[in-house]
Amino acid sequence: MIESFGGFILYFALLMIIPWWASSRVKSTYRKYSQVASSSGMTGAEVARKILNDNGIYDVTVEPVKGQLSDHYDPRKKVVRLSEHNYYGNSIAGAAVAAHEVGHAMQDAEAYSFLRLRSTLVPVASFGSNSSIFLIIGGILLTQPSLVLVGIIFMSFAVLFQLVTLPVEFNASNRAMEQIVSTGVIRNNEEKETKKVLNAAALTYVAAALVALAELIRFVLMFLAMNRE
């Protein structure tokens, strides 16, 4: 358990620095390769549609959405949404992002186990993320270890969601690389740049999981210390 004030400052600094570093990395990498046109000249929308069609997925639509790095796949409405720059542009970054989001659509079509598990965890993870900290703080202030334990259990679901997200995202990126290479969207000399975009994006999920896990461990140690008193 972190006991010194300096230790607390360092701990919370790390909690802020890790996500900031990951976010800065993905933004700078995306910004760099969004200015580099792919040799195929295909827009993000064309890349997404081609991969979907090549894999026999015809019930998923592709549409633009406002914002930067707002790209996502909506499994409820079967829609791949690409930020306008990626949807209309023909950059290496746009192709990578479009292929990644289609990777999620492919997971959905195949009932990929980790994607299904993540979807199942959404309600309880959302509740745990929003309520756990209040239960834990309340338990600490009232010196009620049982209340802290309930908060830790709820937080565990949120952490589990973050951990399950990792294989979902890495699998989608692996599918993306395979598809854009096999379909000729990018050439051999562009694979390195494409991997940089996908790897930078993956860092944000790794950082989120590390921070969430570190927080959970800290409160577990705090709970154990309360029970020893």
Side-chain angles (χ1 to χ4, degrees):
M1 184 174 180
I2 302 173
E3 298 178 353
S4 67
F5 178 75
F8 272 113
I9 295 297
L10 177 61
Y11 175 77
F12 284 114
L14 288 175
L15 289 187
M16 292 185 289
I17 290 172
I18 291 174
W20 172 83
W21 173 77
S23 177
S24 297
R25 179 73 179 276
V26 68
K27 287 179 180 178
S28 62
T29 303
Y30 172 80
R31 189 181 307 114
K32 177 180 180 179
Y33 292 107
S34 65
Q35 303 301 316
V36 181
S38 64
S39 56
S40 67
M42 296 175 66
T43 66
E46 291 171 338
V47 170
R49 189 70 266 165
K50 178 172 176 54
I51 296 175
L52 287 168
N53 291 346
D54 286 354
N55 286 274
I57 304 174
Y58 303 107
D59 61 341
V60 173
T61 58
V62 183
E63 60 183 40
V65 64
K66 293 186 180 298
Q68 187 179 51
L69 295 176
S70 52
D71 315 78
H72 63 280
Y73 170 64
D74 186 343
R76 294 168 301 177
K77 296 184 178 180
K78 302 287 186 181
V79 179
V80 169
R81 296 193 178 97
L82 303 176
S83 57
E84 292 180 337
H85 186 75
N86 291 333
Y87 185 91
Y88 297 108
N90 64 342
S91 67
I92 287 178
V97 171
H100 176 88
E101 298 309 330
V102 172
H104 288 308
M106 293 171 64
Q107 292 173 337
D108 190 21
E110 297 173 12
Y112 179 60
S113 58
F114 281 107
L115 182 66
R116 293 177 67 184
L117 176 57
R118 188 175 73 167
S119 298
T120 302
L121 288 171
V122 168
V124 66
S126 178
F127 177 79
S129 179
N130 294 327
S131 63
S132 60
I133 191 64
F134 296 106
L135 292 169
I136 291 172
I137 292 176
I140 293 171
L141 293 177
L142 298 173
T143 319
Q144 294 292 326
S146 59
L147 194 58
V148 174
L149 179 59
V150 172
I152 288 174
I153 292 172
F154 285 154
M155 180 177 284
S156 297
F157 286 108
V159 173
L160 179 60
F161 178 84
Q162 295 283 1
L163 295 176
V164 170
T165 292
L166 294 180
V168 172
E169 295 300 328
F170 281 113
N171 178 265
S173 289
N174 289 336
R175 291 172 187 260
M177 276 304 303
E178 179 183 335
Q179 291 296 319
I180 56 181
V181 170
S182 63
T183 56
V185 171
I186 62 170
R187 306 293 186 260
N188 291 336
N189 61 326
E190 296 172 319
E191 288 185 34
K192 184 177 180 180
E193 287 76 12
T194 305
K195 285 181 179 178
K196 286 182 180 179
V197 175
L198 294 172
N199 289 340
L203 279 177
T204 61
Y205 297 101
V206 173
L210 286 175
V211 169
L213 187 59
E215 277 285 81
L216 178 62
I217 292 173
R218 182 170 74 93
F219 287 124
V220 168
L221 293 175
M222 191 176 295
F223 168 74
L224 294 175
M226 291 177 69
N227 282 331
R228 285 198 299 267
E229 295 176 355

